[in-house]
Each structure stands twice: as structure tokens, then as C-alpha cells.
Amino acid sequence: MYDYLIIGSGLFGSVCARELTNMGYKCLIIEKRSHIGGNCYTENIDGINVHKYGPHIFHTSNQNIWKYVTSLVDFNHFRYNPKVNYKGTMYSFPINLLTLHQVYGVTTPQDALQKLEDVKLHIESPQNLEEWALSQIGPELYEIFIKGYTTKQWGRSPKELPASIIKRLPIRTTYDDNYYFDKYQGIPVGGYTKIFEKLLTGIDIQLNVDYFSNKEYFDDIANKIIYTGPIDQFYDYKFGKLEYRSLIFEQQKLEVPDYQGVAGVNYTDVDVPYTRIVEHKHFEFGKQPTTIITKEYPSSVGEPYYPVNDLVNNERYKKYKFLMDNETKFIFGGRLAEYKYYDMHQIIGSALKTVNIIKGGKE
């Protein structure tokens, strides 16, 4: 008999498992995939740590979270500086002073601010993603950087999407093209899988095990259960399915030392079927004689990655949340269980908070 059964070996489940084990609880993790680490999993291929489920760049301004992850493994100094390819022309991204020079010819922050003021549409109360973007950067920048990419990524017009999806996108009038604002940034030296190997040392793990294939059995082998999977599936889709967007990854090994000179290039033209090409060696400044790239194709089917947090789906989730809040044996956490987009540092923080609540109950 286990104290805790943890369903899913992603960040939320693995951090909970480590901390609960340190507190003296006996834990078992079951994972439906053939590997640990959830979507953060990296696979070493020819000396290159390939981010199998899309690029993950750790970033946080929380010193305690940074101390936590760096106590597990060493991190390098990688910064994410993606580029944009729009109809064959390359642009600096996220939007910064160089971008504004490339598009409008401005050369100073003052000129850039004035240009943005001149081109943006004055929409008093933006009601959707498109209106918000137009009110911030105007039609031309919206067309180059946002419209096509967003349409592909979400499978619908930006007019049908909430503005919250894009409000994380930086817009700068300096030459800073670092995607994130956070104080602490980097990639684990040797790949993300090393973090999970460290977190799960000495903890029982069963891979290739689907909780729903034998739910009654698993519900009986532990006093408490931490569930990190899709919440609609947990309740047998009682209120209907929650909508997600997925990705199809097309991986290629190329006999060249460098394909695109940067970790990520976004393809924002709607006529290009993929949204991004990732070149994995750049995450760790690799000098290997060959390279591995991944093209990302958005999809409406497949592994759930991005919750579609529109009004309909959020209202549906609230019904599931009411049931979750009344559970006594189950604890829920992570992107899929909470139907919420989380960055990695946020998931770790959420897991540590959950464990602290448990610890308080124990004491």
C-alpha cells in the first residue's frame, strides 16, 4: 500500500513525488508514456539533446524556484532569441527596435515609440486577440508577426480568440531580443531528462501504464492520489470534452553542422504549413558535425498541449472544477488537470505549494 499514487511523471508529479518522499511518504508514479519527464523530456541523439515535445527554456524571476532547480542540475546561460521568417524575409523577434528598423526604418527608441503610436489602431475596448494586437502594433506588424502564425497555431481566426493568449508577447523599443524578461534563464546542462532522473531517484515508477486501463485497481493501492492528466477524461467527459491544440513533430537529421544559426525560427506566413523550425543543438551551444531539426505542425488532434481557454471551454471547466473541489482522496495539478497554460517555473511553484499544504495537514 502506498501513501501517494502519482499519475504522470511531468514536473508537477515529479516534484510532488520527490518532496513527499523526502517527508517520509511512500510514493508510486505511473506514467502512460515510455519515459519520464512528460513534455519536458529530452532524448540524446548523436550527442544532441533533442526536446521531443517542443523547446523548453527555463525562465523565472523567483529566486527560490531558481535555487530549487539549480540544486538538481547545472544550467547554462542560454537565452531564447528566436527569429521570424515571413514570406522569405527574416526579422528580429520578439518585436524590438531592430524589428521596427527592419520594417519602418526607425533608428531611435523615440522614433520607434512615435511610429507605433502612428500605426496602431485606437480601439477603446479590444474584444479579441486581433483587436488587441492592432491596438498595440498596427496592421503591418500584425500581418507579419501575428495573424498567420496565430491562425495556424490555434486553428481559427484571431478574431475568435481571447486577447490573453498574446499579451505575454514582449514589444520593446530597445535592441533587446531576449524573449523573456526574467532574471534567471537557461537550459539544464545535458538536457531536461537529468532533472527528472534526479527528482525520481529512489522512487517507484511504472512506465507504459495507463491509469484508466485499470482505474479501480490503482484507486485502491494508495491512500491519496495526485492526478495530473486531462480533467475531462478523469470525469469520463461528464460535461463534454475540453478543447486543446496539439502539435505534430517532424524530426530530421541533417548532414550539416548548422542549419539555421539559431534555436528557433517562426514561420508566420499562413501558407507555410508549419509554425516553427527548432534546431536543438543551439540550446546547449553544440559543435557536433551534424544537426537535428524539428518542424512543428499545429493540429486539432493528438496529445493535448495548449488549452483553448475561450469562454465556452472555461465555462465547461468550471463544472469540472466544482467536482474537483469536493474530492477528498484526489489532488489535482498541472496544465491538463487545471486546464491552464503554465510555464515550468509556475508548475514547480504550484507543486511545492501543494506539498506545503499536505505538510501542514500532516503537522
Side-chain angles (χ1 to χ4, degrees):
M1 189 74 174
Y2 289 92
D3 295 307
Y4 283 89
L5 169 67
I6 299 166
I7 300 160
S9 66
L11 272 174
F12 189 91
S14 294
V15 169
C16 285
R18 177 74 271 148
E19 297 304 309
L20 290 169
T21 299
N22 290 349
M23 289 161 57
Y25 290 112
K26 185 178 181 183
C27 299
L28 168 67
I29 287 185
I30 59 172
E31 167 59 57
K32 71 176 183 177
R33 290 174 174 168
S34 61
H35 57 74
I36 59 175
N39 292 339
C40 294
Y41 173 72
T42 49
E43 179 184 12
N44 190 287
I45 302 174
D46 295 337
I48 299 170
N49 290 305
V50 175
H51 296 218
K52 295 293 287 186
Y53 304 98
H56 287 75
I57 297 89
F58 199 92
H59 58 96
T60 184
S61 294
N62 186 314
Q63 187 177 32
N64 290 331
I65 298 295
W66 184 245
K67 285 182 177 179
Y68 186 86
V69 295
T70 54
S71 72
L72 299 168
V73 296
D74 291 331
F75 276 68
N76 67 20
H77 62 279
F78 177 84
R79 298 293 183 269
Y80 192 45
N81 311 103
K83 302 294 176 264
V84 157
N85 183 315
Y86 177 71
K87 296 186 176 181
T89 299
M90 300 297 293
Y91 295 94
S92 181
F93 190 73
I95 294 170
N96 63 83
L97 184 53
L98 181 56
T99 317
L100 297 170
H101 172 74
Q102 292 169 321
V103 177
Y104 296 121
V106 297
T107 56
T108 70
Q110 292 76 20
D111 289 343
L113 284 169
Q114 184 59 55
K115 189 64 180 180
L116 286 172
E117 187 63 31
D118 292 343
V119 301
K120 69 184 183 181
L121 304 187
H122 294 282
I123 302 172
E124 188 169 334
S125 299
Q127 298 299 305
N128 54 56
L129 188 154
E130 178 172 282
E131 289 184 356
W132 186 87
L134 291 171
S135 73
Q136 300 297 307
I137 59 176
E140 188 169 4
L141 294 174
Y142 170 67
E143 181 74 28
I144 295 172
F145 295 98
I146 308 298
K147 185 178 180 179
Y149 185 93
T150 302
T151 301
K152 291 188 290 185
Q153 183 77 350
W154 295 99
R156 63 189 68 188
S157 167
K159 296 177 183 178
E160 302 173 40
L161 293 166
S164 58
I165 290 175
I166 200 175
K167 285 186 176 180
R168 303 187 317 146
L169 180 66
I171 301 168
R172 303 190 181 109
T173 55
T174 69
Y175 287 113
D176 180 9
D177 64 351
N178 183 353
Y179 195 86
Y180 301 108
F181 291 99
D182 290 302
K183 180 177 181 179
Y184 307 106
Q185 301 178 42
I187 301 285
V189 176
Y192 278 95
T193 302
K194 289 187 176 297
I195 288 181
F196 295 93
E197 290 171 348
K198 190 71 175 291
L199 285 171
L200 300 179
T201 299
I203 298 172
D204 291 345
I205 307 168
Q206 295 180 16
L207 300 177
N208 300 303
V209 174
D210 186 349
Y211 167 69
F212 293 102
S213 68
N214 204 352
K215 186 175 184 299
E216 289 186 8
Y217 166 77
F218 286 116
D219 286 351
D220 285 340
I221 65 171
N223 296 320
K224 292 277 189 177
I225 298 175
I226 295 176
Y227 177 80
T228 70
I231 195 60
D232 52 356
Q233 184 181 14
F234 181 85
Y235 286 111
D236 199 25
Y237 308 104
K238 180 182 180 70
F239 303 117
K241 287 189 175 184
L242 294 169
E243 191 177 1
Y244 292 90
R245 292 293 289 173
S246 187
L247 292 169
I248 296 170
F249 301 103
E250 182 184 280
Q251 183 178 302
Q252 295 175 265
K253 177 181 176 180
L254 302 175
E255 299 298 325
V256 296
D258 195 346
Y259 175 74
Q260 61 186 19
V262 69
V265 176
N266 292 351
Y267 285 76
T268 58
D269 181 355
V270 72
D271 293 328
V272 177
Y274 45 86
T275 51
R276 175 164 59 182
I277 296 180
V278 176
E279 187 167 12
H280 302 272
K281 69 191 307 178
H282 292 292
F283 294 121
E284 298 182 66
F285 318 109
K287 302 297 183 184
Q288 297 88 351
T290 60
T291 194
I292 295 172
I293 65 168
T294 302
K295 294 180 180 178
E296 297 183 3
Y297 296 83
S299 174
S300 59
V301 297
E303 284 289 330
Y305 293 120
Y306 306 107
V308 181
N309 290 120
D310 59 13
L311 182 61
V312 172
N313 283 290
N314 286 344
E315 287 300 312
R316 185 170 292 156
Y317 172 72
K318 286 180 182 178
K319 297 178 181 179
Y320 289 119
K321 184 67 165 62
F322 178 80
L323 299 180
M324 295 160 62
D325 290 342
N326 287 279
E327 297 284 358
T328 56
K329 183 168 184 172
F330 292 88
I331 298 167
F332 302 93
R335 277 193 189 190
L336 300 181
E338 297 182 61
Y339 199 62
K340 180 179 180 181
Y341 185 91
Y342 273 122
D343 287 323
M344 289 180 286
H345 66 285
Q346 294 169 324
I347 294 179
I348 292 172
S350 177
L352 293 174
K353 181 179 178 180
T354 297
V355 171
N356 281 335
I357 292 172
I358 293 170
K359 185 177 180 180
K362 181 180 181 181
E363 293 175 347

